[in-house]
Amino acid sequence: MASSVLPTPLLKDELDIVIPTIRNLDFLEMWRPFFQPYHLIIIQDGDPSKKINVPEGFDYELYNRNDINRILGPKASCISFKDSACRCFGFMVSKKKYIYTIDDDCFVAKDPSGKEINALQQHIKNLLSPSTPYFFNTLYDPYAEGADFVRGYPFSLREGAPTAVSHGLWLNIPDYDAPTQLVKPMERNTRYVDAVLTIPKGTLFPMCGMNLAFDRELIGPAMYFGLMGDGQPIGRYDDMWAGWCTKVICDHLGLGVKTGLPYIWHSKASNPFVNLKKEYKGIFWQEDLIPFFQAVSLPKDCTTVQKCYIELSKQFKEKFGKVDDYFNKLGDAMVTWIEAWDELNPSAAAALPNGPAK
Amino acid sequence: MASSVLPTPLLKDELDIVIPTIRNLDFLEMWRPFFQPYHLIIIQDGDPSKKINVPEGFDYELYNRNDINRILGPKASCISFKDSACRCFGFMVSKKKYIYTIDDDCFVAKDPSGKEINALQQHIKNLLSPSTPYFFNTLYDPYAEGADFVRGYPFSLREGAPTAVSHGLWLNIPDYDAPTQLVKPMERNTRYVDAVLTIPKGTLFPMCGMNLAFDRELIGPAMYFGLMGDGQPIGRYDDMWAGWCTKVICDHLGLGVKTGLPYIWHSKASNPFVNLKKEYKGIFWQEDLIPFFQAVSLPKDCTTVQKCYIELSKQFKEKFGKVDDYFNKLGDAMVTWIEAWDELNPSAAAALPNGPAK
């Protein structure tokens, strides 16, 4: 019977679930049928003396701030504190090929037929099938069941590109910024869009870290969530930052980024007034940061994610260092992050190119 | 009572429905509640002596080959014969701001709740609301009811761009090429994806003419369906051709192209063996044509659709004239098309720029 509830799942030994939290992880009860077979990496944010309760039966490791400081030493400065950006420490200490990260206020959603959505399974499907970044397929994911490439899709492009990122969406509370939350406090997302699609090459998107999976071997070192929270002038731009960098590097290395299914149920909106305080500089800065990432060009000899990231940090500091000293700190932290990544992942550091420069 | 069945519809005096056909237009019966308030332009393909029956009560004008020859004189050579590409003559003779074109084997589809879909109404919604070509919104059309821009979407881009094209989709028989039809003869599209999205700037897509609406004033002269059918080496690339040219020009002029809703019910697949004969050169040629359109750059002084189109024809002939003499003919026909368009639309020819060069 147990096997019908918990069938041997896909990628069981190749995927870690990373959860940043400051509270008890009761939300895992609802995910038990889907998550229990996998290993969890829990990043405890805030006061390290507080005890986080993890429901019984889950296989996990937990890191608090003391652990992060002990493991990274001075390089721990690149990991944010009092902000869910700390989750990227989990990406770094994982030894698995794939990562799924989810917020602790996200629950199992239902599809229009009322069936509970196994979000992780859909992410795995997304990651294991190619992407189509070079030409748009109007019937969405051509690798999905019952779909294909439509008339006029070049045959030379039908093998697609390896998928590095699967960005899932949210029913109920949409991921709005503080101004939109303030203007539309009652808006709920009830639209179930039954599609997965590739974000075309050259197009940026707002990547949300709430329900996100990626191939660590292909793109891990780009999934740095920046300097946010305690002691920093902004918050709530951690995932956006990671999304801009990741997309630019995926485009350069010929990797794909998908968005759409799966949905999770986002249970509660964070406080818009608190959010506004965290966001306001980001709202202002993104008007210049996004055009920078839209225009940035990486040289051909950047053949690994690490090389791309270091190059990005250089160009970023050159352009924005004089705008605000925070950007100098962030640019330096990008370098520290890569050094720490390579220290904890020595084989990856010496590895072959992640992909061909395109 | 009639008013509840036929409410005064949107854009009643500003939209023509263009239908290419060789048969009786019985399919209009099913569309009556939605189409009857609008004016139809019927382009009769093939033998002009054959009589096309139009169901009673529709307001229409009908053009056969003799009419096209009479109206355009020698310039009629740019209008295809024995191919649905002839539909673009209807775009040229219309005097309305908006066009909706539909194939005569397309019927009213139902949404998942069983409600009949008013395809035209959704196209009008798409055309009357802006597009978002410069940054991807993960919750799809931010102007749709219950949706908005997500966190991280630059505020400076939230006004969007004027929408020039609305590309609708098909339930039942998907728009596959002959090889895919042959491999998957039984595949049916049953996936209703409840989304409209903007195809990002710089990304091409396979535009299908089966269920398509556009703003004639913004993009009309780019909606040339090329030389297909009788006397030409290919068919079934008419809409693809129009799609490549249109998207490149929309990108240049800062106009948006949407795809997704509405669905129509595509009733029957065309013969894959016949299709293969029409398509095989196109399947081969598109491998070079698409990279050309992906890379083409229009100069800043191309500030009208006409100027863009003439420039495209030049660059196209230069590059492909030596590949096959058909491309010389097609390049010349592009120029003829613009001349004929300006002759029939004299005020548009002398008009102000269609949009700013971006």
Side-chain angles (χ1 to χ4, degrees), chain A residues 134 136 145 147-148 151 155-156 158 175-177 184 191 194 200 203-204 206 236 239-240 287 294, chain B residues 134 136 145 147-148 151 154-156 158 175-177 184 191 194 200 203-204 206 236 239-240 287 294:
Chain A
Y134 306 116
F136 191 89
E145 222 176 303
D148 211 314
R151 179 171 57 90
F155 280 83
S156 64
R158 294 191 186 195
D175 186 30
Y176 287 164
D177 48 59
K184 293 177 152 183
R191 185 185 304 248
D194 184 18
T203 299
L204 294 182
R236 284 172 58 86
D239 42 7
M240 298 300 139
E287 297 292 343
Q294 284 173 329
Chain B
Y134 306 116
F136 190 88
E145 221 177 305
D148 211 312
R151 179 172 58 92
F155 280 82
S156 62
R158 295 190 185 195
D175 186 31
Y176 286 165
D177 49 59
K184 292 176 152 183
R191 185 186 304 249
D194 183 17
T203 300
L204 294 182
R236 283 172 62 82
D239 41 7
M240 298 300 138
E287 297 291 342
Q294 284 173 327

Side-chain angles (χ1 to χ4, degrees), chain B residues 120-298:
Chain B
L120 187 46
Q121 188 179 57
Q122 178 68 47
H123 277 297
I124 290 170
K125 276 190 198 175
N126 294 348
L127 289 170
L128 294 184
S129 63
S131 293
T132 53
Y134 306 116
F135 201 73
F136 190 88
N137 194 50
T138 51
L139 287 185
Y140 310 100
D141 181 4
Y143 308 104
E145 221 177 305
D148 211 312
F149 292 96
V150 299
R151 179 172 58 92
Y153 203 100
F155 280 82
S156 62
L157 295 178
R158 295 190 185 195
E159 282 193 14
T163 302
V165 179
S166 168
H167 177 261
L169 299 175
W170 341 278
L171 289 173
N172 194 38
I173 306 288
D175 186 31
Y176 286 165
D177 49 59
T180 308
Q181 280 184 296
L182 288 164
V183 171
K184 292 176 152 183
M186 301 309 288
E187 190 151 291
R188 298 293 178 265
N189 185 26
T190 59
R191 185 186 304 249
Y192 182 93
V193 175
D194 183 17
V196 176
L197 55 99
T198 297
I199 308 205
K201 184 179 178 183
T203 300
L204 294 182
F205 76 115
M207 189 180 82
C208 172
M210 220 188 295
N211 172 26
L212 178 72
F214 60 92
D215 183 323
R216 226 180 133 260
E217 286 178 10
L218 287 179
I219 200 63
M223 280 287 179
Y224 175 47
F225 273 49
L227 292 177
M228 304 282 147
D230 200 46
Q232 310 301 343
I234 57 169
R236 283 172 62 82
Y237 272 85
D238 52 340
D239 41 7
M240 298 300 138
W241 175 261
W244 304 331
C245 296
T246 292
K247 186 58 167 58
V248 162
I249 294 173
C250 282
D251 284 350
H252 176 75
L253 294 176
L255 304 172
V257 175
K258 291 181 185 176
T259 184
L261 301 180
Y263 286 93
I264 53 78
W265 179 266
H266 186 207
S267 65
K268 65 171 192 288
S270 42
N271 184 314
F273 300 98
V274 173
N275 289 347
L276 189 60
K277 191 181 164 194
K278 292 179 180 173
E279 281 174 16
Y280 76 97
K281 287 197 174 182
I283 286 175
F284 178 71
W285 283 336
Q286 73 182 354
E287 297 291 342
D288 292 320
L289 291 170
I290 287 171
F292 164 77
F293 283 102
Q294 284 173 327
V296 77
S297 167
L298 299 171

Side-chain angles (χ1 to χ4, degrees), chain A residues 27-339:
Chain A
F27 90 115
L28 283 172
E29 281 303 344
M30 196 180 187
W31 287 104
R32 189 181 286 280
F34 306 125
F35 287 180
Q36 196 167 334
Y38 295 89
H39 181 69
L40 313 182
I41 298 179
I42 298 162
I43 312 297
Q44 177 178 356
D45 196 19
D47 183 2
S49 68
K50 219 191 125 198
K51 179 157 166 48
I52 301 287
N53 284 319
V54 183
E56 263 192 53
F58 283 92
D59 169 45
Y60 70 93
E61 53 196 297
L62 186 149
Y63 299 91
N64 64 28
R65 191 69 209 184
N66 295 335
D67 301 316
I68 296 172
N69 289 340
R70 178 177 43 78
I71 291 166
L72 293 184
K75 294 194 180 78
S77 62
C78 73
I79 304 298
S80 298
F81 186 47
K82 296 195 179 165
D83 192 286
S84 72
C86 67
R87 79 174 82 216
C88 66
F89 179 74
F91 309 160
M92 190 185 261
V93 293
S94 167
K95 292 290 165 282
K96 305 285 175 61
K97 183 168 164 56
Y98 299 98
I99 295 286
Y100 175 49
T101 185
I102 181 170
D103 280 5
D104 62 6
D105 63 347
C106 293
F107 294 86
V108 178
K110 288 180 177 173
D111 71 17
S113 76
K115 197 179 156 215
E116 294 203 326
I117 298 165
N118 184 345
L120 187 46
Q121 189 178 60
Q122 179 67 48
H123 276 298
I124 290 170
K125 275 190 198 174
N126 295 348
L127 289 170
L128 294 183
S129 64
S131 292
T132 53
Y134 306 116
F135 200 74
F136 191 89
N137 193 51
T138 51
L139 287 185
Y140 309 99
D141 180 5
Y143 308 106
E145 222 176 303
D148 211 314
F149 293 96
V150 299
R151 179 171 57 90
Y153 203 100
F155 280 83
S156 64
L157 295 178
R158 294 191 186 195
E159 283 194 13
T163 302
V165 179
S166 168
H167 178 260
L169 300 175
W170 341 278
L171 289 173
N172 194 38
I173 306 288
D175 186 30
Y176 287 164
D177 48 59
T180 308
Q181 281 183 297
L182 287 164
V183 171
K184 293 177 152 183
M186 302 309 290
E187 190 151 290
R188 297 294 176 265
N189 185 25
T190 58
R191 185 185 304 248
Y192 182 92
V193 175
D194 184 18
V196 175
L197 56 99
T198 298
I199 307 202
K201 184 179 178 183
T203 299
L204 294 182
F205 76 115
M207 188 179 83
C208 172
M210 220 189 294
N211 171 26
L212 179 72
F214 60 91
D215 184 323
R216 227 181 132 260
E217 286 178 9
L218 287 178
I219 199 63
M223 279 289 180
Y224 175 46
F225 273 47
L227 292 177
M228 303 284 146
D230 199 44
Q232 310 300 343
I234 56 168
R236 284 172 58 86
Y237 272 85
D238 53 340
D239 42 7
M240 298 300 139
W241 174 261
W244 304 331
C245 295
T246 292
K247 186 58 168 58
V248 163
I249 294 174
C250 282
D251 285 350
H252 176 74
L253 294 175
L255 304 171
V257 175
K258 293 182 183 174
T259 185
L261 301 181
Y263 286 94
I264 52 78
W265 179 267
H266 186 206
S267 64
K268 64 169 192 289
S270 41
N271 184 314
F273 299 98
V274 173
N275 290 346
L276 190 60
K277 190 181 164 193
K278 292 178 181 173
E279 281 174 14
Y280 78 96
K281 288 198 173 180
I283 286 174
F284 178 71
W285 283 336
Q286 74 183 351
E287 297 292 343
D288 291 320
L289 290 170
I290 287 170
F292 164 77
F293 283 101
Q294 284 173 329
V296 76
S297 166
L298 299 171
K300 281 213 165 167
D301 63 353
C302 288
T303 52
T304 66
V305 178
Q306 281 91 334
K307 281 184 189 168
C308 290
Y309 204 75
I310 295 293
E311 173 67 24
L312 259 188
S313 78
K314 268 185 218 155
Q315 295 192 29
F316 169 69
K317 269 184 70 172
E318 260 168 46
K319 177 103 194 229
F320 290 97
K322 50 192 174 292
V323 174
D324 194 292
D325 196 48
Y326 167 67
F327 293 131
N328 284 315
K329 279 169 62 184
L330 177 53
D332 291 340
M334 293 169 76
V335 177
T336 306
W337 159 263
I338 294 294
E339 289 169 356

Side-chain angles (χ1 to χ4, degrees), chain B residues 11-69:
Chain B
L11 305 183
K12 183 180 161 348
D13 300 316
E14 296 177 76
L15 184 143
D16 282 336
I17 300 175
V18 173
I19 305 164
T21 192
I22 52 168
R23 10 178 194 230
N24 292 330
L25 292 173
D26 303 332
F27 89 115
L28 284 173
E29 281 302 346
M30 195 181 188
W31 287 105
R32 189 181 287 277
F34 306 125
F35 287 179
Q36 196 167 334
Y38 294 90
H39 181 69
L40 312 181
I41 298 179
I42 298 162
I43 311 298
Q44 176 177 358
D45 196 20
D47 182 0
S49 68
K50 222 191 123 199
K51 178 155 167 49
I52 302 286
N53 285 319
V54 183
E56 263 192 51
F58 284 92
D59 169 45
Y60 70 94
E61 54 196 300
L62 185 151
Y63 299 92
N64 64 27
R65 191 69 209 182
N66 296 335
D67 301 315
I68 296 173
N69 290 340

